[in-house]
């Protein structure tokens, strides 16, 4: 207890240690495979109070386990100072998911830190939806060769929320691998801040690390800041980082419009598509009706590995948070990620079409931009012809021309 969190102390972890009164301890013995997920619930209540939840997961050599934690509270002015410690011995495989759904007046300061041994594998994902101010520090230290970590998060802020993410990928051994992907959206006057560090120490030769942060800003009053950082002390590594902040792409809005999606829904659907594109929802017993009935996670949206599709089970929750009809979200996902390959109807130029809302829309995603450019060019040509015809001819003779030259 404390051996992991004490390696990355700050004022709030010290405060947590001072007031810690209990928590959850999960120990998986050597070689044991836990088939069903372990669910941990943290409910914080009491106006003007503070709580200090703590979770310690220890997976011994070659052990396997999946842990789902849900953090929630009513609409009370409450401070939650949480710490999660993950210890992965050699060859252990741990999947950890957290879902944060605090009330709109709750403040949250959380640390999730993992230490990985030789050939250990960690799949960590987080969902941040609630809280007036919610900070998450997600850290992984790869201490032995062959260790591999994946940190994925999705978040959504509205009203005057503040979402704060700070990540660390700490490579302290050769041939280690880490991959981080944080993505989300803000609207109204909400703000998000991401600050991440990839640290490759001198001994981390032949390590690979990827860091990516993507943000959608849905309204003018909202804001997002992204600060990715690299600190490379080894000379034989592969490392990259990237970040993006901005509104939904105009091409995506046009693409949705050509498929019958109203413009007022396009921006909110952009968030659903952002989450869906490149990620998938956990498809295990965690999403089963039994678990949902127990923990009440109707909008569970924990993310795991990067795949080119999205599980339909997560669409209702994401659509609910983005305040768009589930049917519209389902249709947007299908349009972007699974266009009908069997449609054979074509227009006069040979482009494939699809019947939507009683009309016909272009289906081929690869050509829609060229089609729009062509339509714009035709409109400009018509305008030039109209202006030419409107000019007074005077006494000049106008010689007609064809496409091959002057006649």
């Amino acid at each position: 207890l404390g051996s992991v969190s004490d390696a990355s102390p700050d004022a709030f972890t010290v405060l947590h240690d001072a007031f810690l009164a209990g928590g959850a301890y999960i120990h998986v013995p050597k070689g044991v495979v836990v088939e069903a997920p372990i669910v941990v619930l943290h409910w914080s209540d009491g106006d003007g109070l503070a709580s200090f939840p703590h979770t310690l997961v220890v997976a011994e050599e070659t052990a396997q386990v999946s842990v789902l934690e849900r953090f929630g509270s009513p609409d009370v002015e409450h401070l939650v100072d949480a710490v999660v410690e993950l210890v992965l011995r050699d060859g252990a495989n741990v999947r950890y998911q957290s879902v944060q759904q605090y009330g709109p007046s709750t403040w949250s300061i959380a640390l999730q830190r993992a230490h990985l041994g030789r050939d250990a594998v960690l799949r960590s994902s987080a969902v941040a939806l609630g809280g007036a101010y919610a900070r998450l520090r997600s850290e992984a230290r790869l201490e032995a060769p062959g260790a591999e970590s994946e940190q994925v998060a999705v978040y959504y802020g509205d009203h005057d929320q503040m979402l704060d993410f700070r990540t660390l990928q700490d490579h302290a051994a050769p041939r280690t691998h880490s991959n981080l992907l944080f993505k989300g959206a803000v609207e109204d006057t909400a703000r998000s801040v991401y600050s991440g560090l990839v640290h490759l120490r001198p001994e981390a030769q032949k390590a690979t690390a990827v860091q990516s942060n993507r943000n959608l800003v849905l309204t003018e009053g909202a804001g997002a800041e992204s600060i990715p950082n690299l600190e490379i002390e080894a000379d034989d590594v592969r490392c990259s980082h990237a970040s993006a902040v901005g509104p939904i792409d105009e091409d995506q809005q046009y693409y949705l419009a050509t498929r019958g999606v109203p413009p007022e829904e396009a921006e909110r659907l952009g968030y659903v598509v952002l989450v869906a594109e490149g990620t998938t929802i956990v498809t295990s017993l965690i999403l089963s009706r039994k678990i949902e009935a127990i923990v009440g996670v109707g909008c569970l949206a924990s993310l795991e590995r990067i795949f080119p599709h999205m599980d339909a089970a997560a669409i209702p929750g994401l659509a609910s948070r983005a305040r768009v009809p589930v049917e519209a979200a389902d249709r947007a996902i299908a349009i972007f990620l699974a266009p009908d390959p069997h449609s054979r109807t074509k227009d006069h130029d040979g482009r494939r079409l699809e019947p939507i809302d009683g009309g016909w829309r272009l289906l081929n995603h690869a050509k829609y931009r060229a089609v729009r450019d062509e339509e714009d060019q035709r409109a400009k040509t018509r305008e030039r012809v109209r202006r030419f015809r409107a000019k007074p001819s005077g006494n000049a003779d106008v010689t007609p021309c064809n496409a091959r030259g002057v006649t």
Side-chain angles (χ1 to χ4, degrees):
L1 182 67
S3 61
V4 175
S5 60
D6 288 349
S8 181
D10 65 6
F12 291 99
T13 59
V14 174
L15 179 67
H16 175 95
D17 293 343
F19 288 92
L20 178 62
Y25 174 47
I26 301 171
H27 178 255
V28 186
K30 178 179 178 179
V32 173
V33 177
V34 181
E35 298 290 346
I38 298 174
V39 180
V40 181
L41 304 178
H42 298 283
W43 184 256
S44 302
D45 201 350
D47 202 10
L49 301 179
S51 57
F52 303 88
H54 193 109
T55 300
L56 172 61
V57 179
V58 179
E60 300 292 350
E61 296 180 7
T62 67
Q64 297 184 30
V65 65
S66 295
V67 178
L68 167 65
E69 277 197 295
R70 184 192 176 193
F71 299 84
S73 73
D75 185 9
V76 293
E77 294 184 357
H78 194 99
L79 172 64
V80 181
D81 186 355
V83 171
V84 177
E85 299 180 276
L86 306 175
V87 180
L88 285 71
R89 308 297 187 194
D90 295 350
N93 190 316
V94 173
R95 179 173 297 175
Y96 173 81
Q97 295 97 22
S98 67
V99 180
Q100 181 267 98
Q101 294 175 295
Y102 291 123
S105 300
T106 298
W107 281 51
S108 168
I109 310 290
L111 168 66
Q112 297 175 2
R113 183 174 171 88
H115 286 187
L116 286 72
R118 179 183 293 271
D119 297 323
V121 177
L122 171 66
R123 307 290 184 216
S124 174
S125 61
V127 178
L129 300 176
Y133 174 84
R135 178 199 296 180
L136 172 63
R137 281 202 295 148
S138 177
E139 303 179 355
R141 178 178 171 85
L142 292 76
E143 299 182 319
E148 178 181 350
S149 74
E150 185 177 77
Q151 297 159 268
V152 181
V154 60
Y155 46 93
Y156 189 95
D158 58 6
H159 303 302
D160 58 351
Q161 277 185 279
M162 175 64 179
L163 302 176
D164 185 354
F165 301 96
R166 309 177 185 190
T167 67
L168 173 64
Q169 298 156 262
D170 189 359
H171 293 250
R175 299 185 301 280
T176 50
H177 310 276
S178 69
N179 188 3
L180 181 144
L181 175 62
F182 275 49
K183 52 169 60 176
V186 288
E187 66 172 343
D188 301 327
T189 58
R191 300 189 63 84
S192 70
V193 176
Y194 170 82
S195 176
L197 173 63
V198 177
H199 188 188
L200 293 102
R201 299 178 183 272
E203 57 271 25
Q205 301 295 339
K206 299 188 182 301
T208 60
V210 178
Q211 179 192 74
S212 180
N213 175 230
R214 298 174 58 190
N215 300 273
L216 274 181
V217 180
L218 301 178
T219 57
E220 289 188 4
E225 299 178 27
S226 182
I227 310 172
N229 298 281
L230 300 178
E231 184 176 346
I232 303 175
E233 300 178 278
D235 57 9
D236 185 11
V237 298
R238 297 178 61 186
C239 190
S240 67
H241 66 166
S243 68
V245 177
I248 183 173
D249 189 86
E250 292 183 358
D251 290 339
Q252 291 182 349
Q253 288 182 311
Y254 178 84
Y255 185 57
L256 285 170
T258 61
R259 274 123 183 102
V261 178
E264 60 272 14
E265 294 181 6
E267 287 195 355
R268 297 186 185 280
L269 287 173
Y271 167 67
V272 180
V273 173
L274 173 73
V275 175
E277 182 186 5
T279 58
T280 184
I281 303 306
V282 174
T283 53
S284 65
L285 290 177
I286 295 174
L287 279 178
S288 69
R289 294 181 180 274
K290 180 178 180 181
I291 295 298
E292 286 195 10
I294 294 175
V295 302
V297 189
C299 61
L300 178 64
S302 298
L303 304 178
E304 58 163 7
R305 294 190 57 80
I306 299 174
F307 289 108
H309 70 280
M310 179 179 184
D311 194 306
I315 292 175
L318 293 173
S320 173
R321 184 59 180 169
R323 297 198 291 272
V324 297
V326 174
E327 297 78 7
D330 198 355
R331 182 172 57 182
I333 297 300
I335 288 172
F336 270 90
L337 307 177
D340 182 10
H342 304 296
S343 176
R344 297 182 178 179
T345 307
K346 299 181 180 180
D347 69 354
H348 64 279
D349 291 327
R351 296 185 297 263
R352 290 193 298 154
L353 300 174
E354 180 184 36
I356 296 180
D357 294 342
W360 293 91
R361 300 292 185 268
L362 288 169
L363 177 66
N364 194 327
H365 176 52
K367 295 183 179 180
Y368 84 89
R369 184 182 301 199
V371 171
R372 186 188 65 177
D373 293 342
E374 180 182 346
E375 292 174 348
D376 291 343
Q377 186 61 37
R378 288 177 179 174
K380 291 178 181 178
T381 301
R382 288 194 296 268
E383 179 63 18
R384 286 197 296 268
V385 171
R386 185 191 66 79
R387 291 180 179 178
F388 176 79
R389 290 176 176 174
K391 289 182 179 179
S393 59
N395 297 323
D397 294 330
V398 178
T399 303
C401 300
N402 61 18
R404 296 183 181 276
V406 178
T407 58

